[in-house]
Amino acid sequence: MKFINMPNRAMQKSDKKSNPFKASFTAQHVIEAIGQRISKPLTFMEVCGTHTVSIFRSGIRSLLPEELSLVSGPGCPVCVTDQGEIDCAIDILDMPQITVATYGDMLRVPGTKSSLSERKSEGKDVRLVTSAAQALSIAENNPEREVVFLAVGFETTAPATAATVLEAREKNISNFSILSYHKQTPPVLEQLVQDPDLKIDGFILPGHVSVILGHNAYRFIAQKYKIPCAIAGFEPMDILLAIADLVFQHANGQAVLHSLYPRAVRPEGNQKALSMIDRVFTPCSARWRGLGEIPLSGYMLKEEFSSFDTLLRFQITLTSPPPPAGCRCGDVLAGHIRPLECPLFAKRCTPMTPVGPCMVSSEGSCSAYYKYNRGGESPWKKSHLATEVADD
C-alpha cells in the first residue's frame, strides 16, 4: 500500500524543481513501484504518436516488467488519414490552377498511384506549410489560383483551421478552401474498447488533445467500460507516472480517469478553442485508416461555411481504394499487431521507401520502431541509410 499514492507525491515533489522530469532517482522509484504492484499481465495503449516516440527515445519499454505491454494507438494524424482521402488530395492537382498546401509529413504519404511529393516533382504546385494561416496567405498572394488546404489532425489543430476559415470569410477570400480531414479522439477510443479482439487494460491519454478537451470527454471509458485512464505529458517521467497510475488502479480494483498532466491540462479544457471548433465545424462520420468509418468522429464545415469546403466546391466524392498490398498500417493503428509483425516492415517498407503512412510520419509507430528499437536486432542499426534518416 505504501506505493499507492507515490506517483502523485513524486509529481508534486518534481513540480518544485526546474527540470524535474528527468530525475533518474525518481524514475527508478516509480519503476520499482510498478514492478512491485503489478500482479497480472496488463496491456496499455499509448494513444498519442508523440507518446510513442518519447517512449522509444527514452527506452521506457526496456525498463518495464515483462508482464506489462505497451501498444500504440491511432494517435498519429497523418497515419489515420484514409487512403481515399490521400488519393483525393493528390488527384485534385490535375484540376487547372490548383495549389495544394499541407503539413510536411503528408507530402510523402503514398496514395494509390503517387504521392504529393511525387506530383510536386512533376511540376504540380504543392506547398509545405506549418499552419493553416500560411495556406491562407498563399491564397491571398495568388488570387489567380485555387488554394486547397489539406487539413489533418485532431482536436489540437482543428481550432487553428476554424480560425483561418473565419479569417478567410472576413477578408472575403474566395480562392481558398479546405479538405477537412480533422478527426475526433473520443469516438475512436470508444470503437477500440468495443473491439472484442483488442484487450486494452488501460489508456495513456494524449496530453495535447487533453489540453483542448479537458477531462470529461474521456470519463465514459472508465465509467462505462471500466478501463483505467491516465492523461500524460510527454516527458519520460510523465509517461512513467501515467503507467504507474494505471498499474496501481488495477492493483486497487479501480477504473477511473486521472490526470497526470495538471500543469497543462485544465479539467474544463480550452473553452476558447472548443468554442472556435463549435463555431465553424459540425461532427460528421469520418474514415480512419484500418478502422473504417466511425460515426461522429470527424469535423465538417457548417453549412454557412460550405463555400470553403473543397469537396463541395469542386463536386468531389471520396473513393474507397484498398490500402497498399501487404501494408498492415491499419492493423498497427488498431492495436492488433505491432509493426514488427508486418511482413513489409524494414524490407519493402523503410523510412526512405515507405509503403504505408506509419513509416512516413515522425509520429508513426512503424517509424518509431524502425529508428529506436532497442532489442539488439534493430534494422535501423543495420541500415546503410541510417545517417540519412536519423533525427537524433
Side-chain angles (χ1 to χ4, degrees):
M1 294 293 290
K2 67 179 181 178
F3 291 109
I4 290 177
N5 297 319
M6 197 280 291
N8 287 334
R9 291 209 307 271
M11 183 173 61
Q12 290 163 1
K13 180 180 180 180
S14 297
D15 280 340
K16 300 175 181 178
K17 300 182 178 181
S18 60
N19 187 20
F21 298 98
K22 297 178 181 176
S24 58
F25 71 92
T26 306
Q28 181 179 348
H29 292 167
V30 175
I31 292 165
E32 289 175 356
I34 291 172
Q36 292 177 20
R37 295 310 302 273
I38 191 167
S39 59
K40 61 181 180 180
L42 295 172
T43 299
F44 300 151
M45 173 176 280
E46 82 270 5
V47 177
C48 178
T50 307
H51 279 155
T52 298
V53 174
S54 182
I55 288 169
F56 272 104
R57 280 178 167 165
S58 59
I60 284 177
R61 287 175 186 271
S62 64
L63 301 174
L64 298 177
E66 292 183 357
E67 299 93 332
L68 184 53
S69 299
L70 298 179
V71 296
S72 303
C76 165
V78 173
C79 304
V80 298
T81 303
D82 184 72
Q83 190 76 22
E85 294 175 330
I86 298 292
D87 283 351
C88 174
I90 294 170
D91 292 343
I92 202 172
L93 285 165
D94 291 330
M95 295 182 178
Q97 299 298 307
I98 286 283
T99 295
V100 171
T102 191
Y103 303 118
D105 279 350
M106 291 301 299
L107 298 185
R108 295 181 61 234
V109 177
T112 300
K113 300 177 182 177
S114 183
S115 68
L116 288 172
S117 179
E118 289 170 344
R119 298 305 304 275
K120 180 178 176 65
S121 67
E122 296 170 359
K124 298 296 183 181
D125 192 3
V126 179
R127 309 285 185 94
L128 187 158
V129 296
T130 57
S131 68
Q134 193 175 354
L136 182 61
S137 295
I138 294 172
E140 288 185 272
N141 295 326
N142 298 273
E144 77 285 0
R145 298 191 67 82
E146 285 282 347
V147 177
V148 174
F149 176 55
L150 175 52
V152 299
F154 301 102
E155 291 87 349
T156 47
T157 53
T161 302
T164 302
V165 171
L166 290 172
E167 183 180 354
R169 186 172 74 166
E170 182 179 347
K171 293 181 176 179
N172 196 28
I173 298 175
S174 59
N175 65 322
F176 177 75
S177 63
I178 68 168
L179 276 172
S180 180
Y181 297 159
H182 287 301
K183 293 178 171 58
Q184 301 190 52
T185 307
V188 73
L189 295 180
E190 182 151 30
Q191 175 151 315
L192 291 176
V193 299
Q194 293 176 337
D195 184 342
D197 297 325
L198 187 63
K199 306 298 183 185
I200 299 298
D201 300 304
F203 284 101
I204 303 170
L205 295 172
H208 293 331
V209 170
S210 301
V211 168
I212 304 298
L213 291 181
H215 296 176
N216 287 336
Y218 308 116
R219 291 196 189 281
F220 72 95
I221 302 174
Q223 294 175 349
K224 182 178 179 180
Y225 297 101
K226 310 303 179 187
I227 299 176
C229 300
I231 298 170
F234 299 99
E235 292 287 348
M237 196 62 210
D238 289 324
I239 298 169
L240 274 178
L241 289 172
I243 293 171
D245 183 88
L246 296 176
V247 170
F248 291 1
Q249 286 198 46
H250 275 278
N252 297 331
Q254 295 178 317
V256 295
L257 168 70
H258 283 157
S259 174
L260 281 299
Y261 199 27
R263 67 185 187 277
V265 178
R266 300 175 184 172
E268 71 276 15
N270 185 326
Q271 292 296 308
K272 185 175 182 180
L274 291 172
S275 177
M276 186 70 71
I277 293 174
D278 186 59
R279 174 74 182 86
V280 173
F281 292 110
T282 188
C284 67
S285 294
R287 300 178 185 180
W288 295 65
R289 186 179 292 261
L291 294 162
E293 186 165 305
I294 302 177
L296 303 178
S297 67
Y299 290 113
M300 65 179 294
L301 290 169
K302 289 185 173 179
E303 186 174 355
E304 64 179 294
F305 301 102
S306 60
S307 62
F308 296 102
D309 188 321
T310 301
L311 296 180
L312 295 177
R313 181 189 291 240
F314 298 106
Q315 297 297 300
I316 299 171
T317 301
L318 291 175
T319 59
S320 301
C327 177
R328 301 288 302 276
C329 277
D331 290 326
V332 171
L333 293 167
H336 289 151
I337 68 168
R338 288 173 172 78
L340 297 175
E341 298 174 67
C342 175
L344 306 186
F345 181 81
K347 297 172 184 173
R348 281 181 53 206
C349 187
T350 72
M352 297 303 291
T353 58
V355 176
C358 295
M359 190 61 89
V360 175
S361 172
S362 59
E363 295 184 356
S365 181
C366 295
S367 174
Y369 266 81
Y370 193 93
K371 292 178 181 177
Y372 303 115
N373 187 339
R374 309 292 176 90
E377 296 296 330
S378 171
W380 160 251
K381 295 178 180 178
K382 300 175 182 178
S383 172
H384 68 284
L385 299 173
T387 56
E388 297 178 45
V389 296
D391 61 0
D392 68 356

